Amino acid sequence: MTTVGLIGTGYIGPIHLGALRRLEGIQIKAVCDANLELARQTAKRYDVPRACSNYLDVLNDDSIDVIHNCTPNKYHYTINKQAIERGKHVLAEKPLAMNLAEAGELVELADKKGVVNGVNFCYRYYPVVQEMAVRIKRGDLGDVRMVSGSYYQDWLSRVTDYSWRLERKESGDSNITADLGSHWFDLLQFVTGLSVNEVMGDFATLLPKRKKPRKQVLAFEKASDAGTEDVDIELEDYSAVLFRLSNGAPGSFSTCQACAGRKSDTEFQVYGSKCSFAWNHKRSTELWIGHREKPNELLVESPFLQDQSTARYATLPAGHPLGYHDAEMNLFGDFYNAIRGNTVIPPISRPVFKTGYDEMKILDAVIASNKQRQWKRVAW
Ligand SMILES: NC(=O)c1ccc[n+]([C@@H]2O[C@H](COP(=O)([O-])OP(=O)(O)OC[C@H]3O[C@@H](n4cnc5c(N)ncnc54)[C@H](O)[C@@H]3O)[C@@H](O)[C@H]2O)c1
């Protein structure tokens, strides 16, 4: 049995717990949240024997092998670091840390201590996203010529909507580019195998004044029933990035949390010299393959129609759609295989701390570019 302690039981924590309970050989020993009542409710819902409010109680428990860090960005570095120092394997939420220096330190420390590490870039674990990566790698697309995409949400589109993500002290120097941009650039680099080399970022704060609730509000939760105070918002809720990939191909990405009607709409398109690939989270089971000289194709996730290296992520017979919970489970499955040294079927590429660090490099360049109003090179 591999034993787990999970810290942060707000929005994403319970999603980790649900996926963990579906994997073999895992025992969740404790959950922790600064809000003890929330930790207790979560422990009850997921049959976890212990709930606490001080994360050190989990980190100091020698019977726990793995830490899932599901706290806000501000605590990623501290908790990840202390977990590694105690020899625990860590599955961290994204972004890996508040800034590049913290992220770099975590990569070094994890290497030094030899612990298995991972970052929850879960969107790449949809079966057909994995399939797209394999097909691009084997040359189906030809050369990558141009890429584009977006990630839109609406849960912060009203002045009464609020999240710690909007505060620099909780989030770092970026809200949405760190939050949603990190997922999107991970997807893009993962499927193309190319890196983002140059960026031109443009941020905007569409709602510069908000009503901050006086009580705790979890991600996606409505804040309207709490008393509020008026606050100024510094961080961006809109971001657009023009960029160049390592092969010179141009790309563009935009993201915003104030798009009424858009819930978690992320999509990306890769245009190559032979054909095109596109994926949209709203139709996450479908890989669109665009052709010039013959009809376009739609590959629906399937253990029989996908490459043998990605078929195992399509865990149900074709026609039974998988979703977000399954993408999480796929990622965790590879993470726990790595802990057990099970490399029978190696994952194409699992997101590790170095992946999170690389994402922070892109973010750093985008932040600097927006500030200085000019193109910036990513410091690879
Ligand atoms: N991979 C994904 O798809 C995904 C999705 C959502 C969030 N996230 C990431 O997960 C992290 C958490 O986001 P969320 O949406 O769940 O936020 P949230 O506000 O809903 O939940 C965070 C929880 O952490 C608890 N917490 C805060 N400080 C703590 C501490 N010191 N010790 C223990 N608990 C503490 C809070 O009480 C809260 O319950 C963020 O870094 C976010 O970027 C990732």
Side-chain angles (χ1 to χ4, degrees):
M1 276 288 168
T2 309
T3 52
V4 178
L6 180 137
I7 305 171
T9 59
Y11 160 66
I12 198 70
I15 291 172
H16 283 230
L17 294 172
L20 284 171
R21 284 185 11 148
R22 291 165 60 202
L23 290 169
E24 279 171 37
I26 288 170
Q27 186 187 8
I28 307 163
K29 293 200 83 171
V31 291
C32 167
D33 196 286
N35 176 341
L36 182 58
E37 190 43 40
L38 193 60
R40 283 191 177 135
Q41 285 168 12
T42 310
K44 192 166 171 218
R45 188 148 48 105
Y46 290 89
D47 280 332
V48 180
R50 190 166 150 225
C52 61
S53 61
N54 183 343
Y55 68 80
L56 286 172
D57 291 344
V58 179
L59 298 187
N60 289 332
D61 183 339
D62 290 339
S63 73
I64 290 177
D65 306 319
V66 183
I67 297 297
H68 281 237
N69 184 357
C70 301
T71 57
N73 305 2
K74 179 178 158 184
Y75 303 101
H76 289 183
Y77 168 77
T78 322
I79 293 177
N80 293 342
K81 182 168 182 249
Q82 293 183 71
I84 300 166
E85 282 167 348
R86 287 160 174 79
K88 297 191 191 297
H89 308 298
V90 182
L91 195 300
E93 265 309 338
K94 39 57 58 176
L96 180 57
M98 293 274 271
N99 56 54
L100 192 59
E102 286 183 357
E105 220 184 290
L106 291 174
V107 173
E108 268 180 35
L109 189 63
D111 277 357
K112 198 168 123 196
K113 285 282 189 178
V115 299
V116 173
N117 51 86
V119 180
N120 192 23
F121 288 124
C122 49
Y123 291 95
R124 63 156 87 178
Y125 272 92
Y126 280 92
V128 295
V129 173
Q130 292 280 332
E131 181 69 12
M132 193 198 295
V134 164
R135 289 181 181 221
I136 292 179
K137 198 170 181 187
R138 77 181 183 208
D140 290 17
L141 182 96
D143 296 329
V144 173
R145 284 182 172 158
M146 188 277 270
V147 295
S148 72
S150 57
Y151 197 159
Y152 299 136
Q153 297 183 331
D154 72 357
W155 68 291
L156 294 176
S157 59
R158 302 289 176 252
V159 289
T160 46
D161 293 330
Y162 203 81
S163 168
W164 53 262
R165 288 165 172 78
L166 296 159
E167 296 180 17
R168 196 182 295 278
K169 67 176 184 358
E170 297 285 328
S171 216
D173 284 336
S174 160
N175 160 29
I176 195 168
T177 321
D179 186 12
L180 305 185
S182 63
H183 272 307
W184 193 87
F185 282 109
D186 176 66
L187 280 171
L188 188 80
Q189 294 198 132
F190 170 61
V191 298
T192 63
L194 299 168
S195 53
V196 173
N197 272 10
E198 282 181 278
V199 295
M200 172 72 215
D202 182 34
F203 292 1
T205 306
L206 307 183
L207 284 82
K209 290 189 184 298
R210 287 182 186 263
K211 296 192 174 299
K212 178 176 177 175
R214 292 186 200 280
K215 76 166 181 69
Q216 182 182 25
V217 180
L218 302 179
F220 302 106
E221 199 180 29
K222 275 211 157 132
S224 49
D225 59 336
T228 61
E229 59 176 305
D230 292 344
V231 291
D232 293 328
I233 302 296
E234 274 184 272
L235 297 184
E236 87 285 9
D237 50 22
Y238 162 89
S239 166
V241 186
L242 293 179
F243 56 90
R244 288 278 172 169
L245 294 172
S246 42
N247 71 345
S252 60
F253 165 67
S254 65
T255 181
C256 181
Q257 290 152 323
C259 300
R262 301 288 179 199
K263 304 304 174 190
S264 186
D265 287 11
T266 187
E267 57 87 26
F268 65 98
Q269 302 154 44
V270 184
Y271 295 98
S273 52
K274 293 186 187 166
C275 69
S276 317
F277 286 128
W279 182 79
N280 189 317
H281 191 218
K282 273 191 301 191
R283 301 178 68 154
S284 64
T285 61
E286 297 174 0
L287 173 62
W288 181 85
I289 308 168
H291 298 290
R292 171 75 190 272
E293 290 88 5
K294 60 178 182 177
N296 298 335
E297 297 169 73
L298 209 54
L299 171 71
V300 178
E301 65 191 10
S302 159
F304 306 114
L305 301 178
Q306 294 188 206
D307 186 90
Q308 66 168 21
S309 62
T310 73
R312 69 202 175 95
Y313 298 118
T315 50
L316 287 173
H320 300 79
L322 300 174
Y324 187 71
H325 286 99
D326 305 283
E328 298 275 355
M329 190 185 75
N330 283 337
L331 187 152
F332 297 172
D334 278 357
F335 174 78
Y336 282 91
N337 272 338
I339 288 176
R340 294 174 193 133
N342 177 359
T343 51
V344 180
I345 314 170
I348 310 169
S349 152
R350 194 173 64 75
V352 293
F353 277 12
K354 172 72 168 56
T355 323
Y357 175 61
D358 288 349
E359 286 301 315
M360 297 293 301
K361 284 190 172 176
I362 300 173
L363 178 65
D364 232 35
V366 176
I367 292 170
S369 163
N370 168 66
K371 214 171 183 176
Q372 297 166 26
R373 315 306 292 162
Q374 60 184 24
W375 280 86
K376 284 279 164 194
R377 283 200 79 78
V378 178
W380 295 122

